[in-house]
Amino acid sequence: MPIEPAPTQWEFPPVGVAGSSDVVAGGADLAPGTVLAAYRRGLFPMPDHRGSILWWSPVDRGVIEVDGYRPTRSLRRARAKFEIRVNTAFDQVIRACADPRRPGSWIDSEIIASYTELHRLGWVHSVEAWNGDQLAGGLYGVAIGGLFAGESMFHHQTDGSKAAVAGTIELLNDEYAADRVFDIQWVTDHLATLGAVSIPRETYVRRVARAVDVPLPKAFT
């Protein structure tokens, strides 16, 4: 089971103060207790172009609804190509997601260090798509009870990231599926093809407050 870190010394404002902005606050630190406190309140950290820490809670939050999920034929084909593994190549996954050659890359050395420590403590996990002995794609995210907050994904082979998303849905789709939240931050065109939808920030925050008390999926314990 995850190890609870020391509590944060910071206090986050309620998300409602942000109004129509996706940014709720700035500053603080990326200590494990701070990051977990943020996720429990519906926030996540992402640095700006200067490297300053900002705490985000999008007005329109992207999620994939696990309960009753019906994958498309394309996604089923993508999933069938690969073996899904959990936490067997975390360092490779987060560094592939952080590749500065990727458009819009935002994962810097501080983010890598923070989430690697959270992985060591049992809060952050990688879901990987393997083709034999080759890492074809994957994603990593924060798991707190019934919340799985996907942070970033990558692929080295066609459909590798799609298969990792499909694999994550499978891991979350258990007897607690109706109360789980698969957070993907914002809905992109690509994620929309995988079934992502937007929900209001207030709805997301309420759902997270319930979800964090749900048991972890077995794969993440």
Side-chain angles (χ1 to χ4, degrees), residues 78-93 126-139 154 156-157 159-161 163-164:
R79 169 65 182 89
K81 297 177 185 177
F82 303 101
E83 176 190 357
I84 300 299
R85 304 178 193 172
V86 175
N87 292 333
T88 68
F90 177 80
D91 188 64
Q92 289 175 258
V93 169
S126 59
V127 180
E128 310 138 10
W130 288 84
N131 183 1
D133 61 357
Q134 295 183 326
L135 180 61
L139 58 84
F154 78 97
H156 290 325
Q157 297 180 18
D159 290 337
S161 60

Side-chain angles (χ1 to χ4, degrees), residues 154-175:
F154 78 97
H155 69 275
H156 290 325
Q157 297 180 18
T158 301
D159 290 337
S161 60
K162 289 173 64 174
V165 170
T168 302
I169 294 167
E170 292 171 7
L171 297 174
L172 300 175
N173 196 3
D174 58 13
E175 65 267 37

Side-chain angles (χ1 to χ4, degrees), residues 8-196:
T8 184
Q9 62 177 313
W10 306 97
E11 184 174 345
F12 289 100
V15 296
V17 303
S20 61
S21 173
D22 287 351
V23 177
V24 174
D29 57 40
L30 292 174
T34 304
V35 175
L36 292 177
Y39 280 97
R40 287 169 170 144
R41 289 166 172 78
L43 307 171
F44 61 88
M46 182 180 290
D48 64 15
H49 65 280
R50 297 183 300 273
S52 301
I53 302 170
L54 298 178
W55 299 92
W56 301 74
S57 184
V59 174
D60 298 308
R61 191 67 170 246
V63 299
I64 295 177
E65 300 290 4
V66 175
D67 192 33
Y69 183 81
R70 295 290 182 270
T72 64
R73 183 178 301 175
S74 171
L75 188 58
R76 291 197 301 272
R77 285 199 299 264
R79 169 65 182 89
K81 297 177 185 177
F82 303 101
E83 176 190 357
I84 300 299
R85 304 178 193 172
V86 175
N87 292 333
T88 68
F90 177 80
D91 188 64
Q92 289 175 258
V93 169
I94 195 170
R95 292 186 181 280
C97 291
D99 188 339
R101 296 171 296 182
R102 299 179 66 197
S105 178
W106 57 271
I107 302 171
D108 59 19
S109 59
E110 286 188 86
I111 293 287
I112 292 174
S114 174
Y115 284 74
T116 298
E117 176 62 9
L118 284 162
H119 171 68
R120 187 187 72 80
L121 294 172
W123 296 97
V124 171
H125 306 273
S126 59
V127 180
E128 310 138 10
W130 288 84
N131 183 1
D133 61 357
Q134 295 183 326
L135 180 61
L139 58 84
Y140 74 96
V142 181
I144 305 175
L147 168 67
F148 185 81
E151 285 297 300
S152 186
M153 62 184 182
F154 78 97
H155 69 275
H156 290 325
Q157 297 180 18
T158 301
D159 290 337
S161 60
K162 289 173 64 174
V165 170
T168 302
I169 294 167
E170 292 171 7
L171 297 174
L172 300 175
N173 196 3
D174 58 13
E175 65 267 37
Y176 300 100
D179 294 316
R180 297 201 184 280
V181 177
F182 184 4
D183 167 35
I184 49 89
Q185 299 176 346
W186 290 279
V187 177
T188 64
D189 291 342
H190 173 60
L191 288 170
T193 67
L194 305 182

